[in-house]
Coordinates of all heavy atoms in Angstrom, one line a residue:
A288 N 84.2 95.6 83.3 CA 84.8 96.2 82.1 C 83.8 96.7 81.1 O 84.0 97.7 80.4 CB 85.8 95.3 81.6
P289 N 82.8 95.9 80.7 CA 81.9 96.4 79.6 C 81.0 97.6 80.0 O 80.3 98.1 79.1 CB 81.0 95.2 79.4 CG 81.7 94.1 80.1 CD 82.3 94.6 81.2
Y290 N 81.0 98.0 81.3 CA 80.1 99.1 81.8 C 80.8 100.3 82.1 O 82.0 100.4 82.7 CB 79.2 98.5 82.8 CG 78.5 97.3 82.6 CD1 79.1 96.0 83.0 CD2 77.4 97.3 81.7 CE1 78.4 94.8 82.7 CE2 76.7 96.1 81.5 CZ 77.2 94.9 81.9 OH 76.6 93.7 81.6
D291 N 80.0 101.5 82.0 CA 80.6 102.7 82.6 C 80.4 102.8 84.1 O 81.2 103.3 84.8 CB 79.9 103.9 82.0 CG 80.1 104.0 80.4 OD1 81.3 103.8 80.1 OD2 79.2 104.2 79.7
V292 N 79.1 102.4 84.6 CA 78.8 102.5 86.0 C 78.1 101.1 86.4 O 77.4 100.5 85.6 CB 78.0 103.7 86.3 CG1 78.8 104.9 86.2 CG2 76.7 103.7 85.6
L293 N 78.3 100.9 87.7 CA 77.4 99.9 88.3 C 76.5 100.6 89.3 O 76.8 101.5 90.1 CB 78.3 98.9 89.1 CG 77.7 97.9 90.1 CD1 76.9 96.9 89.3 CD2 78.6 97.3 91.0
L294 N 75.2 100.1 89.3 CA 74.2 100.6 90.3 C 73.9 99.6 91.2 O 73.6 98.4 90.8 CB 72.9 101.1 89.5 CG 71.8 101.3 90.3 CD1 72.0 102.6 91.1 CD2 70.5 101.4 89.4
T295 N 73.8 100.0 92.6 CA 73.4 99.0 93.6 C 72.7 100.0 94.6 O 72.7 101.2 94.5 CB 74.6 98.3 94.4 OG1 75.2 99.2 95.2 CG2 75.6 97.8 93.4
P296 N 72.0 99.4 95.6 CA 71.5 100.2 96.7 C 72.8 100.6 97.5 O 73.8 99.9 97.6 CB 70.7 99.2 97.6 CG 70.3 98.0 96.7 CD 71.5 98.0 95.7
T297 N 72.8 101.8 98.2 CA 73.8 102.1 99.1 C 73.8 101.2 100.3 O 74.7 100.7 100.8 CB 73.9 103.6 99.4 OG1 73.9 104.4 98.2 CG2 74.9 104.0 100.3
M298 N 72.6 101.3 100.9 CA 72.3 100.4 102.1 C 71.1 99.5 101.7 O 70.2 100.0 100.9 CB 72.0 101.1 103.3 CG 73.3 101.9 104.0 SD 73.1 102.1 105.7 CE 71.5 102.9 105.9
A299 N 71.0 98.4 102.3 CA 69.8 97.6 102.1 C 68.6 98.0 102.7 O 67.6 97.6 102.5 CB 70.2 96.1 102.6
M300 N 68.9 99.0 103.6 CA 67.6 99.4 104.4 C 67.8 101.0 104.6 O 68.8 101.5 104.3 CB 67.5 98.8 105.8 CG 68.6 99.1 106.7 SD 70.3 98.3 106.3 CE 70.9 98.2 108.0
V301 N 66.7 101.6 105.2 CA 66.8 103.0 105.5 C 67.5 103.1 106.9 O 67.9 102.0 107.5 CB 65.4 103.6 105.6 CG1 64.7 103.6 104.2 CG2 64.6 102.8 106.7
A302 N 67.7 104.3 107.4 CA 68.4 104.5 108.6 C 67.8 103.6 109.7 O 66.6 103.7 110.1 CB 68.4 105.9 109.0
P303 N 68.6 102.7 110.3 CA 68.1 101.8 111.3 C 67.8 102.6 112.7 O 68.3 103.7 112.9 CB 69.3 100.8 111.6 CG 70.1 101.1 110.4 CD 70.0 102.5 110.0
P304 N 66.9 102.0 113.6 CA 66.6 102.5 114.8 C 67.9 102.7 115.7 O 68.7 101.8 115.8 CB 65.6 101.6 115.4 CG 65.0 100.8 114.3 CD 66.1 100.8 113.3
A305 N 68.0 103.8 116.3 CA 69.2 104.0 117.3 C 69.2 103.0 118.5 O 70.2 102.6 118.9 CB 69.2 105.5 117.7
A306 N 68.0 102.7 118.8 CA 67.9 101.8 120.0 C 68.5 100.4 119.8 O 68.9 99.6 120.8 CB 66.5 101.6 120.4
A307 N 68.7 100.0 118.5 CA 69.2 98.7 118.2 C 70.6 98.5 118.6 O 71.1 97.4 118.8 CB 69.0 98.4 116.7
G308 N 71.4 99.7 118.6 CA 72.8 99.6 118.8 C 73.5 99.1 117.5 O 72.9 98.8 116.5
E309 N 74.8 99.0 117.5 CA 75.6 98.7 116.4 C 75.6 97.2 115.9 O 75.5 96.9 114.9 CB 77.0 99.2 116.5 CG 77.8 99.0 115.2 CD 79.2 99.5 115.3 OE1 79.9 98.9 116.1 OE2 79.7 100.2 114.4

Side-chain angles (χ1 to χ4, degrees):
Y290 304 100
D291 298 313
V292 293
L293 168 72
L294 169 70
T295 79
T297 303
M298 287 206 311
M300 66 290 206
V301 298
E309 185 182 52

